[in-house]
Amino acid sequence: ISDFTEMMRALGYPRLISMQNFHRPNFPLVSEVLLWLVRRYEPHTDIPADVETEQDRVFFIKAVAQFMATKAHIKLNTKKLYQADGYAVKELLKVTSVLYSAMNTKGVEQVDVNEEDSSKFKFDLGSKVADLKAARQLASEINSKGATLYDLLGKEAELREARTASIARPLEINEAEKVMKVAINSVLEQVQKTKDMLNNVALDEAALEAKIEKRKLELERSQKRLQTLQNVRPAFMDEYEKIEEQLQKQYSSYLEKFRNLTYMEQLLEDHRQTEQEKFEEASNMLRLIQNRLKEEEQHLLTSGNSDDSDVEIQEDEGSDSEVEDKLMVKQNTTTEALLQG
């Protein structure tokens, strides 16, 4: 681990690595170091850095191992890398020792030249995304199948006894013949039922075709009869047309009379309304005249002189009677004039 940390520091790894980092499995650090070494070896490589799930980690380790095998001809143990402990450091040391020796002997420029020469062995994973998805799906299916197989194997202890008992039991030929005959008879019955159903289907088809032909003939006859009825004029059609013309005339005269009657009723209603208004006006005028005459009588009665003698009073009474007569004559003439009006 100390050699590995010194080599990583010499190669320029930005993070400090100590011996305590690998006392326990530390897969994030191992994946980060592997990705940095791969990009140090080939800057333009395309390896996914997603290591969240178990399948992503397996795919990452396989991709790095395949890259190192094709590019640097370094064989890595994927199981030890996946453990991410001290055993993984030995596998990482294989890659770091190659890069460290190349840096010490040939320099950084020579390393770049070697990388350009080996570009023809570039490992491209972009074209294998579909294969990756298919592999993940197959892995999930394998897990489910393995679980079902495990459950079935768990029942093997119970089924083994039944299987051995059935195998150990002596086989009687007569019983086997009976069972085979019963099975053959059931199969023959099913075959016969199927044949009968097929025959019935053929008969039903023939019957339906006959019904269809019959309906077609009836439809043709009905259409021909309809055409003949449409072309023939009924005997009572002339009389019907004459009665219809008379009815139209009667209806027009009825409408005219109904309109005239409505108009006359409206005129009568207007006349009654005007007469009622005139009667109300006349009654109001009579009421006003009566009130005025009463006021005048009261005025004449109160205008007499209370200091006159009894004779004068009698004369006044006579004169008052004459005045009252004149007022009554005037009132009668006014009432007659109003009534005439």
Side-chain angles (χ1 to χ4, degrees), residues 10 35 46 61 113 187 203 209 220 305 312 323:
L35 188 61
D46 187 10
I61 294 296
V113 173
V187 172
L203 294 174
E209 288 180 355
E220 290 178 357
N305 191 1
E312 290 178 354
V323 171

Short mmCIF file of all heavy atoms in Angstrom, two decimals, residues 10 35 46 61 113 187 203 209 220 305 312 323:
data_model
loop_
_atom_site.label_atom_id
_atom_site.label_comp_id
_atom_site.label_asym_id
_atom_site.label_seq_id
_atom_site.Cartn_x
_atom_site.Cartn_y
_atom_site.Cartn_z
N ALA A 10 3.48 10.35 -7.14
CA ALA A 10 4.41 10.69 -8.21
C ALA A 10 3.70 10.89 -9.54
O ALA A 10 4.07 11.75 -10.35
CB ALA A 10 5.48 9.61 -8.34
N LEU A 35 -10.81 4.98 -12.49
CA LEU A 35 -11.20 5.91 -13.54
C LEU A 35 -10.09 6.91 -13.84
O LEU A 35 -9.82 7.26 -15.00
CB LEU A 35 -12.48 6.64 -13.12
CG LEU A 35 -13.15 7.52 -14.17
CD1 LEU A 35 -13.58 6.71 -15.38
CD2 LEU A 35 -14.36 8.23 -13.58
N ASP A 46 -14.15 6.36 -22.91
CA ASP A 46 -15.56 6.58 -22.56
C ASP A 46 -16.03 5.42 -21.68
O ASP A 46 -16.55 4.42 -22.17
CB ASP A 46 -16.42 6.66 -23.83
CG ASP A 46 -17.84 7.06 -23.51
OD1 ASP A 46 -18.10 7.44 -22.36
OD2 ASP A 46 -18.70 6.97 -24.41
N ILE A 61 -16.41 -2.44 -13.33
CA ILE A 61 -15.20 -3.26 -13.15
C ILE A 61 -14.88 -4.04 -14.42
O ILE A 61 -13.70 -4.12 -14.85
CB ILE A 61 -15.39 -4.22 -11.95
CG1 ILE A 61 -15.50 -3.43 -10.64
CG2 ILE A 61 -14.25 -5.22 -11.87
CD1 ILE A 61 -14.28 -2.67 -10.25
N VAL A 113 3.21 9.69 -27.15
CA VAL A 113 3.40 9.09 -28.47
C VAL A 113 2.88 7.67 -28.49
O VAL A 113 2.24 7.22 -29.44
CB VAL A 113 4.90 9.15 -28.86
CG1 VAL A 113 5.14 8.37 -30.14
CG2 VAL A 113 5.34 10.59 -29.03
N VAL A 187 -59.90 -39.21 -24.99
CA VAL A 187 -59.39 -38.47 -26.15
C VAL A 187 -60.27 -38.68 -27.37
O VAL A 187 -60.56 -37.75 -28.14
CB VAL A 187 -57.93 -38.90 -26.43
CG1 VAL A 187 -57.45 -38.31 -27.75
CG2 VAL A 187 -57.02 -38.46 -25.31
N LEU A 203 -73.54 -27.21 -41.04
CA LEU A 203 -74.99 -27.17 -41.20
C LEU A 203 -75.55 -25.79 -40.90
O LEU A 203 -76.43 -25.28 -41.62
CB LEU A 203 -75.63 -28.24 -40.30
CG LEU A 203 -75.31 -29.71 -40.66
CD1 LEU A 203 -75.88 -30.64 -39.59
CD2 LEU A 203 -75.88 -30.07 -42.03
N GLU A 209 -77.06 -19.35 -44.92
CA GLU A 209 -77.03 -18.93 -46.33
C GLU A 209 -78.40 -19.04 -46.98
O GLU A 209 -78.81 -18.17 -47.76
CB GLU A 209 -76.02 -19.80 -47.08
CG GLU A 209 -74.56 -19.48 -46.72
CD GLU A 209 -73.60 -20.36 -47.48
OE1 GLU A 209 -74.07 -21.28 -48.20
OE2 GLU A 209 -72.37 -20.14 -47.36
N GLU A 220 -86.36 -8.02 -52.73
CA GLU A 220 -86.57 -7.65 -54.13
C GLU A 220 -88.06 -7.52 -54.44
O GLU A 220 -88.50 -6.58 -55.14
CB GLU A 220 -85.92 -8.70 -55.03
CG GLU A 220 -84.40 -8.66 -54.99
CD GLU A 220 -83.78 -9.74 -55.86
OE1 GLU A 220 -84.57 -10.54 -56.43
OE2 GLU A 220 -82.54 -9.80 -55.96
N ASN A 305 -128.41 91.77 6.22
CA ASN A 305 -128.19 92.70 7.32
C ASN A 305 -129.07 92.28 8.49
O ASN A 305 -130.29 92.18 8.37
CB ASN A 305 -128.56 94.10 6.88
CG ASN A 305 -128.10 95.13 7.89
OD1 ASN A 305 -127.50 94.80 8.93
ND2 ASN A 305 -128.40 96.41 7.62
N GLU A 312 -138.62 94.56 6.65
CA GLU A 312 -137.47 94.44 5.74
C GLU A 312 -137.01 93.00 5.65
O GLU A 312 -136.57 92.52 4.60
CB GLU A 312 -136.34 95.33 6.23
CG GLU A 312 -136.64 96.81 6.07
CD GLU A 312 -135.53 97.68 6.61
OE1 GLU A 312 -134.59 97.07 7.20
OE2 GLU A 312 -135.57 98.90 6.41
N VAL A 323 -134.30 85.17 -5.37
CA VAL A 323 -132.89 84.81 -5.72
C VAL A 323 -132.74 83.30 -5.80
O VAL A 323 -132.08 82.76 -6.69
CB VAL A 323 -131.92 85.42 -4.71
CG1 VAL A 323 -130.52 84.87 -4.93
CG2 VAL A 323 -131.91 86.93 -4.81
#
